[in-house]
Each structure stands twice: as structure tokens, then as C-alpha cells.
Amino acid sequence: MPVRRRRSAFSACPGSAAGPLAQVAYSLGERCEQEGDADGAARWFRRAAEAGCPDAALRLGDLLGRLADERGPATGDSPEFLLAEAARWFCEARSAARPDRGVPEAIGRVTDMLDRHQRLAARRGRERLAAR
């Protein structure tokens, strides 16, 4: 009877030359994100991105952008710091494996993130004025 190959439970870093540790970190980031643990997801995506996984850098940038929208000075996190960190990771997402994907996608994601954050800030300002 032929042996069936089991599909790995881990997601790969598609199009990446990242090693197995980066792939495991990426998978753990996905799992944390699915379970609603944004801080854990950010920690694991950061590890995978630092190990050379461009998809992890994009996911980390998206996650940090969402955290900047949700959190503020009351939680101890600076939205400005989170936005700057997200933009940095978007730019880090370039890879030799996907040179066509890096810069244009990073610019688009940074632009979308900043537009979204600006709209949220304007909405919060209007709500404060209406509450007076």
C-alpha cells in the first residue's frame, strides 16, 4: 500500500527562502491571530519576518496598523509608534523571491493604513465635539 504524505500543519512562507523556524513562527502567528491574540500574533509574525519571511512582514504590518486604530494613549500604546512600525514592516516585505511585489504593495498598504487611521481620527474628533 502506498504511503500517503500528510500535509504539514504549518503554513509556509510562500515564495520565501525562509527556513523552517520562520515557517513555524509564521504558523504560530496565524494561529494566535485566529484566536484573537493580537499581541501574540505580532510577536510570532515579527520573528518570522526577521527570519526572512516577506508574508510575515506584510501580516505584521497589517496587524500593527489595526492595533494603531484600536489602541491609544489610554492603553499605553502610541498609535504613531504602531503606524511607523507597520510602515517599516511593509517596506521590509520586499524579497528577492518577489521583487515585483515589494515596493508597490508596500506603498499601497501604507497608504490604505494611513487613510483608514486618518478617517478614524476625524470620526473620534467629531464625536468629542458632539459630546460637548
Side-chain angles (χ1 to χ4, degrees):
M1 177 173 196
V3 176
R4 279 195 217 171
R5 291 185 180 236
R6 285 184 44 172
R7 195 166 172 218
S8 172
F10 299 114
S11 297
C13 296
S16 165
L21 293 178
Q23 294 177 0
V24 170
Y26 183 83
S27 295
L28 289 171
E30 284 183 318
R31 176 169 285 174
C32 287
E33 192 172 33
Q34 290 169 354
E35 293 174 356
D37 179 7
D39 293 325
R43 185 173 45 255
W44 287 112
F45 284 142
R46 181 174 280 112
R47 285 187 180 180
E50 288 171 348
C53 179
D55 287 341
L58 290 174
R59 295 282 295 269
L60 178 59
D62 284 336
L63 182 61
L64 292 172
R66 289 194 313 267
L67 289 175
D69 296 342
E70 297 169 6
R71 298 179 179 178
T75 63
D77 294 323
S78 165
E80 292 81 14
F81 173 78
L82 292 170
L83 289 171
E85 188 74 3
R88 180 176 85 85
W89 283 109
F90 283 140
C91 293
E92 290 285 324
R94 289 183 292 154
S95 120
R98 298 186 196 178
D100 60 322
R101 179 176 174 180
V103 175
E105 187 166 349
I107 290 170
R109 288 189 184 212
V110 168
T111 302
D112 292 344
M113 176 186 63
L114 293 175
D115 286 346
R116 185 181 69 241
H117 191 73
Q118 188 174 19
R119 284 192 304 275
L120 285 170
R123 185 180 318 136
R124 288 178 187 139
R126 284 192 304 270
E127 290 170 357
R128 280 190 220 126
L129 285 175
R132 288 184 181 182

